[in-house]
Amino acid sequence: MQAIVERDRERYTPMMRLFLGLMGAQVALSVIWGGHAGILEQSLSQLPEEQLQDLQTLVGRPLDEFYEIFGTIAGFLQPLFVGVFTAFSVLALQMMGPKRSLSVNLNLMFAVLNAGSIIGVVLMLPQTQLGLPFAISLSLVMLGYFQAFFRGMPVSIVGTGAKRWGYSLLMTVLLIVLIFVGGIVMNITALFGAYIWP
């Protein structure tokens, strides 16, 4: 990450480009394994039959069709919402260390985000096909964020010792909260989009 701070384009690839590539892979894999449509269907399958009939009446189409529309919309919105919401972590990063440009801070945060995204993509198969508990997946992604921040950030930004541990923990929790909030907003938007779809 020192190359990002030094703005040495010969030694790093812009992290936003890598993030978009990882999100594309995640969307493609989620479509192969049922995607957001499968997740919604699995969540709603717990409801009693009467409530499912009420839901079908409310949305005005067969539930399978509603699930598919939702899945398509959510698949396209996920990279956008995750990227936008996690970009807010730059505001916290700007308060650490010497003043840096917005583009440097964005690249630093997306470098951290890419570490968790790689772990998330790798865990998609065990989580969707082998029943890996969500808590374990979340813990591993958080560990990826923490390690990327703790080991990757230059000393000039986060210091050493307890300060480094504290900043790394703070940014890990902040990223997870932003991802959850982005996910909630994305799901609500996709549900509304599927509801009003012609």
Side-chain angles (χ1 to χ4, degrees):
M1 288 191 212
Q2 187 64 39
I4 295 172
V5 173
E6 294 169 358
R7 300 182 77 131
D8 183 355
R9 292 233 179 221
E10 298 294 319
R11 293 178 24 216
Y12 80 95
T13 299
M15 295 297 124
M16 181 75 82
R17 189 180 310 158
L18 290 175
F19 173 76
L20 291 174
L22 286 168
M23 287 293 103
Q26 193 168 7
V27 168
L29 289 174
S30 72
V31 167
I32 291 169
W33 293 318
H36 296 282
I39 293 169
L40 180 63
E41 183 175 7
Q42 186 178 16
S43 299
L44 295 179
S45 68
Q46 309 297 326
L47 295 175
E49 187 63 35
E50 183 179 297
Q51 288 181 343
L52 288 173
Q53 290 298 328
D54 291 343
L55 178 61
Q56 185 165 313
T57 302
L58 177 67
V59 298
R61 62 174 38 110
L63 287 180
D64 288 341
E65 184 181 335
F66 179 75
Y67 298 149
E68 289 304 315
I69 294 169
F70 168 82
T72 301
I73 294 170
F76 284 106
L77 291 180
Q78 182 184 9
L80 175 68
F81 277 75
V82 169
V84 167
F85 274 83
T86 54
F88 285 118
S89 62
V90 169
L91 300 175
L93 184 63
Q94 283 182 320
M95 294 186 281
M96 300 175 195
K99 187 165 177 60
R100 296 167 306 279
S101 71
L102 177 65
S103 65
V104 167
N105 286 327
L106 272 172
N107 269 309
L108 288 169
M109 283 316 300
F110 275 97
V112 172
L113 190 61
N114 286 341
S117 297
I118 290 169
I119 293 169
V121 168
V122 169
L123 291 176
M124 283 183 76
L125 176 65
Q127 193 172 2
T128 58
Q129 303 299 309
L130 305 175
L132 181 70
F134 176 74
I136 293 174
S137 296
L138 178 63
S139 299
L140 291 172
V141 169
M142 287 180 72
L143 181 63
Y145 290 150
F146 181 85
Q147 281 290 349
F149 202 89
F150 185 80
R151 297 177 58 86
M153 282 293 165
V155 173
S156 64
I157 296 175
V158 293
T160 59
K163 184 177 178 183
R164 188 173 197 84
W165 279 92
Y167 277 151
S168 299
L169 186 60
L170 170 73
M171 294 305 289
T172 298
V173 170
L174 179 62
L175 276 173
I176 291 297
V177 168
L178 289 171
I179 288 169
F180 274 124
V181 171
I184 290 168
V185 173
M186 183 269 301
N187 280 308
I188 291 170
T189 305
L191 283 169
F192 181 71
Y195 176 73
I196 64 170
W197 194 265

